Amino acid sequence: PELGFELVVATTPVGTTFCPPAALSVTNDLAWAPGTAVEVFVHGVKLEQVHAPYGGWELVGEGAVSSDGANIELGPHIAVLSVFGLRKKP
């Protein structure tokens, strides 16, 4: 709660890595306004994961709501499939 996530997205298979990092598009179910800046955090779900501490969150990048408001476009910052927390950029 202290990180203020408004949306959490889980991707699988957890631990799949991308090199170079990939983009991620998430449906804008919260109806954020087009152009809204968004921060994306990754959750450490594996002990050996280097992208975030196990059980913790790490800011990995930013994105924005698409111009038509349909999607939240993130990346290309996604280096691993995991659980992601999204919030509007303060």
Side-chain angles (χ1 to χ4, degrees):
E2 64 274 2
L3 292 174
F5 297 141
E6 296 182 59
L7 181 64
V8 175
V9 177
T11 58
T12 60
V14 169
T16 299
T17 58
F18 300 102
C19 186
L24 177 66
S25 180
V26 178
T27 303
N28 184 17
D29 291 332
L30 298 175
W32 290 343
T36 298
V38 177
E39 293 179 322
V40 58
F41 291 74
V42 65
H43 188 254
V45 295
K46 298 177 92 177
L47 287 174
E48 68 279 0
Q49 188 167 320
V50 297
H51 305 287
Y54 178 70
W57 296 92
E58 187 74 30
L59 178 66
V60 293
E62 297 179 357
V65 175
S66 60
S67 60
D68 65 2
N71 297 304
I72 303 168
E73 305 293 341
L74 308 166
H77 321 294
I78 309 304
V80 62
L81 292 184
S82 188
V83 177
F84 298 97
L86 307 178
R87 69 181 185 193
K88 293 178 192 170
K89 187 174 178 181

